[in-house]
Amino acid sequence: MKRLSVILLLCLLFSTAFVVGKAPIQQPTYPDSLRSVWFYTEGIKSNAITGDSAKAQQLFEEAIRRDSNYAPAYYQMAVNRLETDPEKAVEWARRARQLDTTNKWYHRFFGQALLTARKYNEALDVYEQLCKVDPKEPNNYRILAALYEIHQKPYMALITLDSAEIRFGRIPVLSAMKRHLLVTTHQMDRAIKEAQAIVAETPYEQQHRVALADLYAIAGKDSLAKVEYAAAWKIDSTSLEMQMALEAFYANKKEYRSLLEITRKLFLSEKLPVEEKIKRFEHLTARTSFYRQYYLQLNGLISILAIRYPQNKQVVKLYAKHLIASGELEQALALYKAQTTATPPEEEFFHEIINIESYLQRPDSVARYVDRALQLFPNRPDFHISKGNILHYTKRYDEAVETYKHSLQYADTDSLRSVIWNLIGDAYQYQKEKIQTDSLAKPATRKKKAQKVAKACYDAYERSLHYNKENVSTLNNYAYFLALDSVELEKALVMSSRVVELTDNNPTYLDTHAWVLFKMGRTAEAKRIMQQAIALDGQKSTELLVHYGDILFVLKEYFLAETYWRKALEKGYDSQAIVQRIEKSRKEQSKK
């Protein structure tokens, strides 16, 4: 009769437990000894049926308040909080384990909680105990071996895995760990024997043959590695794991033709994500020498990507860069232009079109695409700047200045504002030169206009330096034009000296510095610096050659001066200006 009463009581408990909702937790009317069980059971149902973990947590806490030694509630609270609060989960899991030391579930979960909380020292002790009290669970050995490795005890890890192998036989995941540890402890022969044994047991499992081949490769036994790779290839030549293993092997051995052949197969595979293919191509083309040597193979790889992923923007960019590197500018341009109708539009494609068309000196096309870009991206300052550059290139300096000034309202950094004001200063300078060469205007008018524009130019450079006092381009241009006008030469010298300090042997900047010194009458210093600029430039710039000739002329080194002027003439410098210089040199020489 007593037994029947207990059964009826438990039936009543479970029938009432299925009443769910937001109502307050009702106090059960059962004896005190069963109240914790009731709250615990309600918590389990709240978790499993309604998914209300917060309410479940309240119920478990109430169960513990009723009975502070109720281990199941501690265990469930730890399970609920493992991901969100691992420290608290460890505390509750430890309590459950202490209250019921015979429960293997609690013991295992305590170890899991310690791992999640990264308490590896304590976890090591727990898993050492687990391997003793729960020796039939292979996972305990795996985790214990990993913990030994973390604690830099690889030999203890190997002993643990050997023990597991004796008890369970070979388990692939444990065997893989064992091979790894044998390699890290420089026991290559044992690692190879381990892999050979697995291959002998399962000769048609491809991953085991690949693992053996990898070990042969590490050991420098390339011929044996190739035999095993070939055997694995026969099992399944389409396996991504197989192909990637071969790719790594050929890369390590620097067998690049074979590497590119296997990479081609990877590019043809649908199993490898396009993002991984892009990374591989970028890596392979990082070195110019490699690109040049294996151009045909690389061309084949990028062609595969372009055909298979024509809408992928990253692939389009890579293919266009490849075409540019191949000298196929028109094809690259056509590819970029085809993408300008895409939705949503890609800003970078317009930049590339503008850059290529500018390089090809086709201002009309540049202007057309700049206007289209401004319609799509009206708040982008770089497109407004590009429009100003076109106006500057076509010598419409007034309009260029206005366009540059308009772009300032979109500039969001002082650095960019400094760049724009430098461009404005440059436009004013070219406008001044245009005024000075206007043969239709009266000399007095030309002079007055030129002075006004020169002031605007210098004001623009001052504004540029206000936003960035170390804008190298502004400092250089400002100093050079002051020297040309022979004004504020001390200020020009400070600026040109600063440019030389901020840069690394740039011939153009050295030329400016030398020219300022020359204008100040410090001709010997100017000669020394100009020699350095000429050497660094490789005698490519006609401007530098003419400047050096001018300095030599003042130093009365007439023969050398004429030599450098003639070199400038050969490279396309204005012939009339060179003839005038040579005539002047001859007159000076005739005076002797």
Side-chain angles (χ1 to χ4, degrees), residues 9-19 30 38 41-42 45:
L9 181 62
L10 288 173
C11 288
L12 179 62
L13 185 151
F14 277 99
S15 65
T16 58
F18 280 92
V19 179
Y30 316 127
W38 187 87
T41 307
E42 287 296 306
K45 289 190 292 184

Side-chain angles (χ1 to χ4, degrees), residues 444-457:
T445 303
R446 285 203 307 266
K447 183 178 180 181
K448 186 176 180 181
K449 284 184 177 179
Q451 287 175 342
K452 182 179 179 181
V453 174
K455 184 179 183 306
C457 169

Side-chain angles (χ1 to χ4, degrees), residues 379-546:
N379 298 326
R380 292 297 302 158
D382 36 4
F383 290 123
H384 289 279
I385 292 170
S386 293
K387 185 173 183 178
N389 291 341
I390 285 295
L391 293 167
H392 187 136
Y393 178 81
T394 53
K395 300 182 180 181
R396 294 153 66 185
Y397 302 117
D398 286 339
E399 294 175 70
V401 166
E402 291 307 312
T403 302
Y404 288 139
K405 287 182 177 179
H406 180 70
S407 72
L408 284 166
Q409 65 183 290
Y410 305 108
D412 55 0
T413 66
D414 283 351
S415 176
L416 183 55
R417 293 184 187 98
S418 177
V419 169
I420 294 171
W421 277 109
N422 178 53
L423 291 170
I424 293 169
D426 290 348
Y428 275 131
Q429 177 62 29
Y430 281 96
Q431 185 181 17
K432 185 189 81 170
E433 292 176 3
K434 184 179 179 182
I435 291 168
Q436 290 172 331
T437 56
D438 183 5
S439 59
L440 299 177
K442 294 179 180 179
T445 303
R446 285 203 307 266
K447 183 178 180 181
K448 186 176 180 181
K449 284 184 177 179
Q451 287 175 342
K452 182 179 179 181
V453 174
K455 184 179 183 306
C457 169
Y458 298 146
D459 287 346
Y461 286 144
E462 288 290 346
R463 289 203 183 195
S464 176
L465 295 175
H466 167 74
Y467 287 112
N468 179 8
K469 65 180 180 181
E470 296 195 337
N471 183 324
V472 169
S473 181
T474 302
L475 289 169
N476 178 75
N477 295 356
Y478 197 178
Y480 182 68
F481 293 133
L482 285 174
L484 280 183
D485 291 342
S486 297
V487 296
E488 297 189 74
L489 292 176
E490 289 293 341
K491 181 177 181 177
L493 181 61
V494 170
M495 289 191 289
S496 68
S497 298
R498 184 59 182 153
V499 170
V500 172
E501 289 175 11
L502 291 170
T503 56
D504 185 22
N505 293 327
N506 183 296
T508 300
Y509 299 152
L510 289 171
D511 169 61
T512 296
H513 189 47
W515 196 245
V516 172
L517 288 169
F518 173 64
K519 286 289 189 172
M520 295 178 75
R522 295 162 64 172
T523 316
E525 291 178 68
K527 177 186 175 182
R528 178 177 55 80
I529 293 170
M530 188 58 76
Q531 283 175 330
Q532 185 182 359
I534 291 282
L536 289 167
D537 181 63
Q539 299 190 7
K540 295 175 184 175
S541 169
T542 57
E543 195 77 25
L544 268 64
L545 292 169
V546 170

